[in-house]
Amino acid sequence: MIFELGEYRARLSRCRKVMAEKGIEVLIESDPCNMNYLTGYDSWSFQYAQAVIVTLEDEDPLWIGRGVDLAGVRLTTFLPESKVAAWPDHLVDNAVNHPMEFFAEQLSARGLGRKAIGIDRDCYFFTPRSRDVLQAGLPNARFADAGRLVSWLRLVKSDAEIKIMSEAARLTERIMAAFFEVVRPGLRECDAIAEIYKAQVAGTPEFGGGYCCVAPLMPVGEGTSTPHMTWSDRKFVKGEAAYLETAGVRHRYHVPMVRALHLGTPPQRLVDTSKAVIEGIERALEVARPGNTCEQVEAAWRKAISRYSIEKESRIGYSIGLGYPPDWGEHTASLRPRDRTVLQENMTLHMVCGIWNQDWGGVSLSEPFRITAGGAVLFAKVPRDLHVKT
Amino acid sequence: MIFELGEYRARLSRCRKVMAEKGIEVLIESDPCNMNYLTGYDSWSFQYAQAVIVTLEDEDPLWIGRGVDLAGVRLTTFLPESKVAAWPDHLVDNAVNHPMEFFAEQLSARGLGRKAIGIDRDCYFFTPRSRDVLQAGLPNARFADAGRLVSWLRLVKSDAEIKIMSEAARLTERIMAAFFEVVRPGLRECDAIAEIYKAQVAGTPEFGGGYCCVAPLMPVGEGTSTPHMTWSDRKFVKGEAAYLETAGVRHRYHVPMVRALHLGTPPQRLVDTSKAVIEGIERALEVARPGNTCEQVEAAWRKAISRYSIEKESRIGYSIGLGYPPDWGEHTASLRPRDRTVLQENMTLHMVCGIWNQDWGGVSLSEPFRITAGGAVLFAKVPRDLHVKT
């Protein structure tokens, strides 16, 4: 286990408190980040129905998943055998029967079939069919939308979590150093990515890195007009821009970053836009301190870039921490208008300022940081300027 | 685009044919593999609501997604601007409003608000909330479960797809060569993974590899009792086993493989179990030919290993092709009892034979292959034996 048992117990205690406030007696949590947060469970097993189930009465939650993953529960969690159950394998990819039939049987057998059951309707790995089958199997339960209850519990990090993220940031620095170092005209994009992966997982002599929950995103040339392209095996050419978005990862905690480079003398509009973005980031970071709100941070950015006649519709950041596919965002607080989440010490965010969808491409730069009493403190030290390789 | 326009048109035509048979007038498809299959769309954007929408009347489907991803549609698909629409960014991670409100407005505006609408209830990236909001926004539509309609269309590959998978297999061979080469006592697991990633993406001098939709799975020592663990930064020690499960990837097509090694003289039970697994794979592959069923293939395996008093509950394989997170299985045909899918030429499968959850650990070996008139043909040539490093 990555944290002391007491830290997991405290998380579960906070979870039960919010459940009670919301009138939820049983919480079914299938988000792999949230399952990890509550129990330590860590396995690439979210492609089939699994959940951690928290009740108001019991100290230990229940894990239900696929049989082949049972040993993963033993190896990564503190759960006793009595709180672990596995559905039979013929339910994999079965058009007629579904693992949630087993979940319903287990909940009934454990006296939870008539409770108020909360589910997160936005969880990627709890499908509409999962809900249909579970509800059909528990006709006497009352179902409620739990919202992103556990995700919100993750917003403020413990000191132990901050320490792990600080280690992840050492990997982030190495990744960006590799990006700046290796990209050159004539190199294939895939060969650059090989070096980036190496920096990401080989890590430092003291510790290695885990897998990033998003493949390295590296828009190049005309691809810079959109943020979510990966790479090809074409060669870099002089006169084009590239940016890299990926994360250093330690014990599933992600510290993501975006940096941009240009091969050869950059066009003036790219230089100007980069300058505006950097100024916007600086102004926004100054406002990112305890007591201010997420929307105040974004407003400082917006004001700064408006002087350069740049507009940006999309948000400029979000809370970060644990990550499993498909993304490292916590899906809670966002840096954007109308988000009045009040910043507190030990919140951790990724401010990502991309200007995309321009006819000439775009530019993206970001900073992962944490909130301290004294203001925003960057996780990683990587020069923020457009990196020009002439 | 990876394939000629005619290949996409033929796929869409087959899709409409099955829709008509099932009484579905409008199909909402959010599985990133299926979106790619129908249109070529390729972007790491499935973490927010997006779909390709196929109607019986229109030749071109409609793409709806997030605004920042619009340029990705232009760069990877053949869709005209009139068939592309993007929801505004304030709907990201919004607890009150949801992108499916925009989907409902678009469908209504395009005259589709009173149709029979099919959705795949098992799709990871179409959440229960997505369905709730879409249904609320289209009160006059009739909703039906489309099952895995498009996934089933992918079962038999075209010759162009087989060619790409054969290229991916060259990467699979390089990955496994790296695994056998680098793992040794004293090396950190993360350093081995760095070399594996390098082989995966740097590829051959002729072409590179894409990202694998699953992180490399490398159970080591006691971790070999379960298949879905990744890696740590501890060092390999003499006397332990490791196996690697990952894939060569080309244009999102995956050719996965599992191989096992042991550092030092292996214990007899590992040798014996590996021998039984290999014999089981050989017997099963002999039966994998056109006209036979999936369950007949599994029965040949089961008969072979029963002579060694080994039992295995979980299935021994599944159909493969395109892959996006969280896995590379097509979620259609499975090699297991009661799956009577009849094998045809150009079906492509991953036979994966893991014996897990043993008190001493386990072993796993696999073969990706395609069905030809003459029987099963392996995609990759990698020695199947337990690789012993003394």
Side-chain angles (χ1 to χ4, degrees):
Chain A
M1 279 158 43
I2 306 304
F3 299 98
E4 288 179 6
L5 183 58
E7 182 147 349
Y8 294 106
R9 293 267 182 245
R11 294 170 180 180
L12 285 161
S13 176
R14 286 191 291 129
C15 179
R16 283 191 290 266
K17 183 165 176 289
V18 181
M19 286 168 59
E21 288 165 9
K22 291 186 172 234
I24 293 170
E25 297 170 305
V26 176
L27 179 69
I28 299 184
E29 183 52 79
S30 290
D31 181 310
C33 297
N34 292 339
M35 290 175 68
N36 178 311
Y37 188 73
L38 295 174
T39 69
Y41 182 65
D42 179 27
S43 180
W44 192 292
S45 57
F46 35 88
Q47 65 272 37
Y48 291 105
Q50 60 175 17
V52 163
I53 298 166
V54 183
T55 70
L56 286 183
E57 285 81 13
D58 303 305
E59 189 171 33
D60 287 321
L62 172 68
W63 180 97
I64 302 180
R66 190 177 169 196
V68 299
D69 295 310
L70 280 172
V73 183
R74 279 198 295 275
L75 290 168
T76 63
T77 80
F78 55 88
L79 299 178
E81 292 289 332
S82 64
K83 291 302 188 111
V84 175
W87 44 266
D89 211 70
H90 72 270
L91 297 176
V92 165
D93 291 343
N94 186 319
V96 179
N97 294 105
H98 190 277
M100 282 293 151
E101 296 167 19
F102 180 88
F103 278 73
E105 289 162 13
Q106 281 288 318
L107 291 175
S108 293
R110 290 167 192 262
L112 304 172
R114 295 171 176 275
K115 298 284 188 182
I117 297 179
I119 57 169
D120 175 359
R121 292 190 303 159
D122 268 323
C123 172
Y124 300 121
F125 303 110
F126 186 86
T127 68
R129 188 174 168 211
S130 290
R131 188 177 64 177
D132 290 347
V133 175
L134 185 68
Q135 288 186 340
L138 294 172
N140 299 312
R142 288 158 289 140
F143 283 87
D145 181 13
R148 295 189 185 274
L149 191 161
V150 180
S151 302
W152 279 102
L153 297 179
R154 290 157 46 201
L155 191 62
V156 177
K157 272 64 183 175
S158 69
D159 290 341
E161 288 178 291
I162 295 290
K163 180 170 179 290
I164 289 173
M165 291 181 74
S166 300
E167 291 175 348
R170 301 291 78 73
L171 306 175
T172 310
E173 290 165 348
R174 288 181 172 237
I175 291 164
M176 290 300 165
F179 174 58
F180 291 154
E181 170 72 23
V182 301
V183 173
R184 58 174 170 74
L187 185 78
R188 298 184 306 175
E189 293 175 20
C190 57
D191 293 315
I193 293 291
E195 295 302 321
I196 287 158
Y197 268 127
K198 184 170 184 173
Q200 198 160 42
V201 303
T204 77
E206 290 74 38
F207 56 85
Y211 67 87
C212 183
C213 67
V214 180
L217 304 175
M218 190 175 69
V220 182
E222 65 176 351
T224 58
S225 55
T226 183
H228 295 132
M229 311 290 285
T230 52
W231 67 87
S232 72
D233 43 15
R234 70 178 274 287
K235 292 176 178 173
F236 291 99
V237 296
K238 194 163 177 172
E240 71 185 0
Y243 51 84
L244 175 68
E245 178 164 12
T246 188
V249 183
R250 179 91 172 128
H251 300 315
R252 306 306 319 133
Y253 284 81
H254 285 56
V255 174
M257 180 174 270
V258 191
R259 284 293 180 269
L261 64 75
H262 193 272
L263 296 173
T265 307
Q268 196 59 41
R269 61 193 172 191
L270 180 58
V271 173
D272 293 345
T273 308
S274 301
K275 184 167 169 282
V277 167
I278 290 168
E279 188 177 323
I281 290 174
E282 287 170 357
R283 293 296 84 76
L285 285 172
E286 288 164 3
V287 182
R289 51 181 62 249
N292 284 346
T293 62
C294 284
E295 72 172 359
Q296 286 178 300
V297 176
E298 198 272 349
W301 148 271
R302 188 177 292 254
K303 186 175 169 198
I305 63 165
S306 70
R307 286 199 292 270
Y308 296 86
S309 302
I310 295 174
E311 288 184 5
K312 177 177 161 62
E313 185 210 12
S314 53
R315 63 178 180 172
I316 63 155
Y318 45 79
S319 185
I320 52 170
L322 285 166
Y324 283 89
D327 74 343
W328 55 56
E330 288 187 342
H331 302 281
T332 52
S334 290
L335 301 176
R336 65 175 168 198
R338 290 183 295 283
D339 190 321
R340 293 182 184 129
T341 307
V342 177
L343 298 174
Q344 300 173 55
E345 277 187 71
N346 276 7
M347 282 189 188
T348 53
L349 297 112
H350 185 213
M351 181 183 292
V352 51
C353 298
I355 305 296
W356 301 292
N357 282 328
Q358 309 296 308
D359 51 13
W360 54 270
V363 70
S364 189
L365 292 164
S366 84
E367 284 298 346
F369 64 99
R370 71 183 170 108
I371 306 290
T372 71
V377 172
L378 302 182
F379 271 117
K381 288 183 179 48
V382 182
R384 200 177 290 155
D385 317 272
L386 176 70
H387 186 79
V388 176
K389 294 188 80 164
T390 50
Chain B
M1 279 158 43
I2 306 304
F3 299 98
E4 289 179 6
L5 182 57
E7 181 146 350
Y8 294 106
R9 292 269 183 244
R11 295 171 180 180
L12 285 160
S13 176
R14 286 192 292 129
C15 179
R16 283 191 290 267
K17 183 164 176 291
V18 181
M19 285 167 59
E21 288 165 7
K22 290 185 171 232
I24 293 169
E25 297 170 305
V26 176
L27 179 69
I28 299 183
E29 183 52 78
S30 290
D31 181 310
C33 297
N34 292 338
M35 291 175 68
N36 177 310
Y37 188 72
L38 295 175
T39 69
Y41 182 65
D42 180 27
S43 180
W44 192 292
S45 57
F46 35 88
Q47 64 273 36
Y48 291 106
Q50 60 174 17
V52 162
I53 297 165
V54 183
T55 70
L56 287 183
E57 285 83 12
D58 303 304
E59 189 171 32
D60 286 322
L62 172 67
W63 181 96
I64 302 180
R66 190 177 169 196
V68 299
D69 295 311
L70 281 173
V73 182
R74 281 198 294 276
L75 290 168
T76 63
T77 79
F78 55 89
L79 299 179
E81 292 288 334
S82 64
K83 291 301 187 113
V84 175
W87 45 266
D89 211 69
H90 72 269
L91 297 176
V92 165
D93 291 343
N94 187 317
V96 179
N97 294 106
H98 190 275
M100 282 292 150
E101 296 167 18
F102 180 88
F103 277 73
E105 289 161 14
Q106 281 287 319
L107 291 175
S108 292
R110 291 168 191 260
L112 304 173
R114 294 172 176 272
K115 299 283 190 183
I117 297 179
I119 56 169
D120 175 358
R121 292 189 303 158
D122 267 322
C123 172
Y124 301 120
F125 302 110
F126 186 87
T127 68
R129 187 174 168 210
S130 289
R131 188 177 64 178
D132 290 347
V133 175
L134 185 69
Q135 288 187 340
L138 294 172
N140 299 311
R142 286 158 289 139
F143 283 87
D145 180 13
R148 296 189 185 274
L149 191 161
V150 181
S151 302
W152 280 101
L153 296 178
R154 291 158 47 201
L155 191 62
V156 176
K157 271 65 183 173
S158 70
D159 290 341
E161 288 178 290
I162 295 290
K163 179 170 179 290
I164 289 173
M165 290 181 76
S166 300
E167 290 175 351
R170 300 291 78 72
L171 306 175
T172 311
E173 290 165 349
R174 287 182 173 238
I175 292 164
M176 290 300 165
F179 174 58
F180 291 154
E181 170 72 22
V182 301
V183 174
R184 58 173 171 74
L187 184 78
R188 297 184 306 175
E189 292 175 21
C190 57
D191 293 314
I193 293 291
E195 296 301 321
I196 287 158
Y197 268 126
K198 184 169 185 175
Q200 197 159 43
V201 303
T204 78
E206 291 74 36
F207 56 84
Y211 67 87
C212 182
C213 67
V214 180
L217 304 174
M218 189 175 68
V220 181
E222 64 175 351
T224 57
S225 55
T226 182
H228 295 133
M229 311 292 284
T230 53
W231 66 87
S232 73
D233 44 13
R234 68 178 276 286
K235 292 176 178 172
F236 291 100
V237 295
K238 192 162 177 175
E240 71 186 359
Y243 51 85
L244 175 68
E245 178 164 13
T246 188
V249 183
R250 179 91 173 127
H251 301 315
R252 308 305 322 132
Y253 284 82
H254 286 55
V255 174
M257 181 174 268
V258 191
R259 284 293 179 269
L261 64 74
H262 193 272
L263 296 173
T265 307
Q268 195 58 39
R269 60 193 172 192
L270 179 58
V271 174
D272 293 344
T273 308
S274 301
K275 183 164 170 281
V277 166
I278 290 169
E279 187 177 322
I281 290 175
E282 288 170 359
R283 292 295 86 73
L285 285 172
E286 288 165 3
V287 181
R289 49 181 63 249
N292 283 346
T293 63
C294 284
E295 72 171 358
Q296 285 177 301
V297 176
E298 198 271 351
W301 148 270
R302 188 177 290 255
K303 186 175 168 195
I305 63 165
S306 71
R307 285 198 294 270
Y308 295 86
S309 302
I310 295 175
E311 287 183 8
K312 178 176 160 62
E313 186 209 10
S314 53
R315 64 179 179 170
I316 63 156
Y318 45 81
S319 186
I320 52 170
L322 285 165
Y324 283 89
D327 74 341
W328 55 56
E330 288 187 342
H331 301 282
T332 52
S334 290
L335 300 176
R336 65 176 168 197
R338 291 182 293 282
D339 190 322
R340 291 179 187 131
T341 308
V342 177
L343 298 174
Q344 301 172 54
E345 275 186 71
N346 276 8
M347 282 189 187
T348 53
L349 297 113
H350 184 212
M351 182 182 292
V352 51
C353 298
I355 305 296
W356 301 292
N357 282 327
Q358 309 296 308
D359 51 14
W360 54 271
V363 70
S364 188
L365 292 164
S366 85
E367 284 297 346
F369 64 99
R370 71 184 169 107
I371 306 290
T372 71
V377 171
L378 303 183
F379 271 116
K381 288 180 178 52
V382 181
R384 198 178 291 152
D385 315 273
L386 176 70
H387 186 80
V388 176
K389 295 187 80 163
T390 50

mmCIF file of all heavy atoms in Angstrom, chain B residues 30-44:
data_model
loop_
_atom_site.group_PDB
_atom_site.id
_atom_site.type_symbol
_atom_site.label_atom_id
_atom_site.label_comp_id
_atom_site.label_asym_id
_atom_site.label_seq_id
_atom_site.Cartn_x
_atom_site.Cartn_y
_atom_site.Cartn_z
ATOM 1 N N SER B 30 -20.473 6.034 -29.733
ATOM 2 C CA SER B 30 -19.438 6.761 -28.988
ATOM 3 C C SER B 30 -18.188 5.929 -28.714
ATOM 4 O O SER B 30 -17.219 6.453 -28.159
ATOM 5 C CB SER B 30 -20.002 7.247 -27.638
ATOM 6 O OG SER B 30 -20.935 8.279 -27.839
ATOM 7 N N ASP B 31 -18.185 4.659 -29.073
ATOM 8 C CA ASP B 31 -16.978 3.854 -28.881
ATOM 9 C C ASP B 31 -15.897 4.378 -29.829
ATOM 10 O O ASP B 31 -16.111 4.441 -31.046
ATOM 11 C CB ASP B 31 -17.316 2.389 -29.199
ATOM 12 C CG ASP B 31 -16.131 1.472 -29.009
ATOM 13 O OD1 ASP B 31 -15.040 1.789 -29.539
ATOM 14 O OD2 ASP B 31 -16.275 0.439 -28.352
ATOM 15 N N PRO B 32 -14.718 4.782 -29.287
ATOM 16 C CA PRO B 32 -13.701 5.378 -30.181
ATOM 17 C C PRO B 32 -13.227 4.421 -31.277
ATOM 18 O O PRO B 32 -12.882 4.879 -32.368
ATOM 19 C CB PRO B 32 -12.562 5.765 -29.232
ATOM 20 C CG PRO B 32 -12.862 5.129 -27.914
ATOM 21 C CD PRO B 32 -14.325 4.831 -27.872
ATOM 22 N N CYS B 33 -13.214 3.117 -31.018
ATOM 23 C CA CYS B 33 -12.855 2.157 -32.076
ATOM 24 C C CYS B 33 -13.897 2.208 -33.194
ATOM 25 O O CYS B 33 -13.546 2.213 -34.379
ATOM 26 C CB CYS B 33 -12.815 0.734 -31.531
ATOM 27 S SG CYS B 33 -11.566 0.456 -30.268
ATOM 28 N N ASN B 34 -15.141 2.241 -32.800
ATOM 29 C CA ASN B 34 -16.200 2.231 -33.805
ATOM 30 C C ASN B 34 -16.281 3.563 -34.549
ATOM 31 O O ASN B 34 -16.571 3.603 -35.744
ATOM 32 C CB ASN B 34 -17.539 1.884 -33.152
ATOM 33 C CG ASN B 34 -17.575 0.442 -32.669
ATOM 34 O OD1 ASN B 34 -16.811 -0.396 -33.143
ATOM 35 N ND2 ASN B 34 -18.453 0.154 -31.713
ATOM 36 N N MET B 35 -16.015 4.661 -33.856
ATOM 37 C CA MET B 35 -15.966 5.971 -34.519
ATOM 38 C C MET B 35 -14.848 5.974 -35.562
ATOM 39 O O MET B 35 -15.012 6.474 -36.677
ATOM 40 C CB MET B 35 -15.746 7.088 -33.487
ATOM 41 C CG MET B 35 -16.950 7.312 -32.563
ATOM 42 S SD MET B 35 -16.646 8.548 -31.241
ATOM 43 C CE MET B 35 -16.511 10.068 -32.205
ATOM 44 N N ASN B 36 -13.701 5.431 -35.199
ATOM 45 C CA ASN B 36 -12.580 5.327 -36.127
ATOM 46 C C ASN B 36 -12.951 4.428 -37.299
ATOM 47 O O ASN B 36 -12.712 4.760 -38.466
ATOM 48 C CB ASN B 36 -11.353 4.776 -35.380
ATOM 49 C CG ASN B 36 -10.142 4.566 -36.271
ATOM 50 O OD1 ASN B 36 -10.240 3.952 -37.330
ATOM 51 N ND2 ASN B 36 -8.986 5.040 -35.848
ATOM 52 N N TYR B 37 -13.568 3.296 -37.018
ATOM 53 C CA TYR B 37 -13.898 2.320 -38.062
ATOM 54 C C TYR B 37 -14.813 2.934 -39.122
ATOM 55 O O TYR B 37 -14.636 2.712 -40.317
ATOM 56 C CB TYR B 37 -14.583 1.121 -37.419
ATOM 57 C CG TYR B 37 -14.802 -0.047 -38.353
ATOM 58 C CD1 TYR B 37 -13.737 -0.833 -38.777
ATOM 59 C CD2 TYR B 37 -16.083 -0.392 -38.804
ATOM 60 C CE1 TYR B 37 -13.931 -1.918 -39.617
ATOM 61 C CE2 TYR B 37 -16.281 -1.473 -39.641
ATOM 62 C CZ TYR B 37 -15.200 -2.233 -40.048
ATOM 63 O OH TYR B 37 -15.397 -3.303 -40.886
ATOM 64 N N LEU B 38 -15.754 3.750 -38.673
ATOM 65 C CA LEU B 38 -16.745 4.295 -39.612
ATOM 66 C C LEU B 38 -16.263 5.544 -40.341
ATOM 67 O O LEU B 38 -16.758 5.843 -41.434
ATOM 68 C CB LEU B 38 -18.051 4.610 -38.864
ATOM 69 C CG LEU B 38 -18.798 3.407 -38.269
ATOM 70 C CD1 LEU B 38 -19.988 3.890 -37.458
ATOM 71 C CD2 LEU B 38 -19.238 2.427 -39.351
ATOM 72 N N THR B 39 -15.338 6.300 -39.742
ATOM 73 C CA THR B 39 -14.980 7.610 -40.320
ATOM 74 C C THR B 39 -13.487 7.885 -40.393
ATOM 75 O O THR B 39 -13.079 8.882 -40.997
ATOM 76 C CB THR B 39 -15.586 8.763 -39.481
ATOM 77 O OG1 THR B 39 -14.900 8.808 -38.209
ATOM 78 C CG2 THR B 39 -17.077 8.591 -39.251
ATOM 79 N N GLY B 40 -12.659 7.089 -39.732
ATOM 80 C CA GLY B 40 -11.231 7.379 -39.643
ATOM 81 C C GLY B 40 -10.860 8.240 -38.450
ATOM 82 O O GLY B 40 -9.671 8.425 -38.169
ATOM 83 N N TYR B 41 -11.852 8.787 -37.736
ATOM 84 C CA TYR B 41 -11.564 9.739 -36.657
ATOM 85 C C TYR B 41 -10.605 9.145 -35.624
ATOM 86 O O TYR B 41 -10.836 8.055 -35.098
ATOM 87 C CB TYR B 41 -12.858 10.193 -35.967
ATOM 88 C CG TYR B 41 -12.594 11.215 -34.884
ATOM 89 C CD1 TYR B 41 -12.088 12.469 -35.220
ATOM 90 C CD2 TYR B 41 -12.822 10.929 -33.551
ATOM 91 C CE1 TYR B 41 -11.813 13.412 -34.227
ATOM 92 C CE2 TYR B 41 -12.559 11.869 -32.566
ATOM 93 C CZ TYR B 41 -12.050 13.108 -32.908
ATOM 94 O OH TYR B 41 -11.778 14.030 -31.935
ATOM 95 N N ASP B 42 -9.531 9.889 -35.356
ATOM 96 C CA ASP B 42 -8.497 9.407 -34.439
ATOM 97 C C ASP B 42 -7.979 10.553 -33.594
ATOM 98 O O ASP B 42 -7.231 11.401 -34.074
ATOM 99 C CB ASP B 42 -7.342 8.779 -35.232
ATOM 100 C CG ASP B 42 -6.238 8.268 -34.314
ATOM 101 O OD1 ASP B 42 -6.534 7.921 -33.158
ATOM 102 O OD2 ASP B 42 -5.079 8.227 -34.764
ATOM 103 N N SER B 43 -8.375 10.572 -32.335
ATOM 104 C CA SER B 43 -7.920 11.615 -31.416
ATOM 105 C C SER B 43 -8.169 11.124 -29.998
ATOM 106 O O SER B 43 -9.090 10.334 -29.759
ATOM 107 C CB SER B 43 -8.704 12.906 -31.678
ATOM 108 O OG SER B 43 -8.285 13.935 -30.804
ATOM 109 N N TRP B 44 -7.319 11.580 -29.065
ATOM 110 C CA TRP B 44 -7.526 11.189 -27.657
ATOM 111 C C TRP B 44 -8.559 12.146 -27.064
ATOM 112 O O TRP B 44 -8.239 12.990 -26.226
ATOM 113 C CB TRP B 44 -6.219 11.248 -26.883
ATOM 114 C CG TRP B 44 -6.318 10.590 -25.527
ATOM 115 C CD1 TRP B 44 -7.044 11.011 -24.455
ATOM 116 C CD2 TRP B 44 -5.691 9.374 -25.115
ATOM 117 N NE1 TRP B 44 -6.909 10.136 -23.408
ATOM 118 C CE2 TRP B 44 -6.073 9.114 -23.784
ATOM 119 C CE3 TRP B 44 -4.838 8.463 -25.744
ATOM 120 C CZ2 TRP B 44 -5.628 8.003 -23.068
ATOM 121 C CZ3 TRP B 44 -4.402 7.362 -25.024
ATOM 122 C CH2 TRP B 44 -4.795 7.143 -23.706
#
